[in-house]
């Protein structure tokens, strides 16, 4: 027979885990073990959920309505964020060739692939004045980030936050320049 703890008991457990830095140590340990394959985190739902738990109080205060993953790898993470925080999930199409007036196409230069790339975001996700959280596993393209924030902000939406596991220094600097109100990451690469 299984029992589910009450909200009070669950809060006490989370408080103890936080007090003893168990969550942070677990996240850092997993990230250190996967430095040669940072995308391994994208498939570990336990680690994604643990990071979401760590962010719970901070994310609830950013008044967002929608979460948009910035890569295919970030879809599971964005799904968990959406589920846990009651945000709508808008999943773009990545690398698809589509001609449709119901979508916005975000073109950017991929430093990693050394080519022009794009993300297709359904218009319904960006034309309704939403507060948006962008998520990724590895945020390493300042051009993609700049283009996404600009497109979303010029379409009556506001980027309220960015959540990632890894971030490059140039992306972090860009987020500071853009004055994004909530930025959370675990490691700078």
């Amino acid at each position: 027979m299984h029992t589910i703890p009450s909200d009070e008991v669950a809060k006490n457990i989370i408080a103890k885990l936080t007090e003893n830095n168990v969550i942070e140590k677990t996240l850092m340990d997993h990230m250190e073990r996967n430095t040669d394959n940072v995308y391994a985190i994208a498939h570990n739902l336990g680690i994604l959920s643990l990071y979401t738990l760590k962010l719970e109080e901070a994310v609830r205060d950013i008044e967002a309505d929608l979460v948009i993953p910035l890569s295919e790898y970030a879809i599971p993470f964005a799904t968990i964020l959406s589920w846990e925080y009651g945000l709508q999930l808008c999943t773009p199409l990545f690398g698809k060739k589509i001609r449709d007036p119901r979508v916005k196409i975000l073109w950017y230069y991929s430093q990693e692939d050394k080519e022009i790339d794009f993300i297709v975001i359904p218009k319904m996700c960006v034309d309704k004045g939403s507060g948006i959280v962008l998520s990724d596993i590895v945020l390493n393209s300042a051009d993609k980030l700049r283009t996404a924030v600009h497109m979303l902000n010029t379409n009556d939406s506001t980027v309220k936050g960015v959540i990632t596991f890894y971030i490059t220094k140039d992306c972090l600097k860009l987020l500071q320049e853009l004055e994004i109100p909530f930025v959370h990451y675990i490691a700078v690469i």
Side-chain angles (χ1 to χ4, degrees), residues 120-189:
V120 178
I121 300 176
K123 262 187 163 180
M124 64 182 207
C125 295
V126 297
D127 284 344
K128 57 183 174 179
S130 297
I132 297 173
V133 174
L134 299 175
S135 67
D136 213 336
I137 300 298
V138 179
L139 195 49
N140 60 359
S141 174
D143 191 42
K144 175 167 68 172
L145 181 59
R146 180 183 303 103
T147 304
V149 170
H150 176 72
M151 182 185 74
L152 295 167
N153 285 343
T154 57
N155 279 287
D156 247 1
S157 295
T158 305
V159 176
K160 300 278 190 169
V162 174
I163 301 172
T164 187
F165 280 82
Y166 299 95
I167 190 167
T168 58
K169 290 176 184 172
D170 60 328
C171 287
L172 190 54
K173 181 181 176 192
L174 176 63
L175 289 169
Q176 291 167 344
E177 290 170 7
L178 295 172
E179 299 178 356
I180 302 299
F182 180 83
V183 177
H184 203 283
Y185 55 92
I186 295 179
V188 177
I189 57 172

Side-chain angles (χ1 to χ4, degrees), residues 111-122:
Q111 290 290 339
E112 186 177 8
D113 298 329
K114 304 290 187 229
E115 64 184 16
I116 301 292
D117 210 344
F118 64 93
I119 300 171
V120 178
I121 300 176

Side-chain angles (χ1 to χ4, degrees), residues 58-97:
V59 171
R60 293 208 188 279
D61 294 338
I62 62 174
E63 299 179 16
D65 308 300
L66 183 69
V67 62
I68 300 175
L70 289 176
S71 69
E72 289 174 306
Y73 293 107
I75 292 171
F77 183 43
T79 303
I80 292 169
L81 289 169
S82 171
W83 179 269
E84 287 296 323
Y85 305 137
L87 304 173
Q88 286 185 300
L89 175 64
C90 180
T91 306
L93 300 173
F94 299 93
K96 307 287 185 216
K97 294 184 169 93

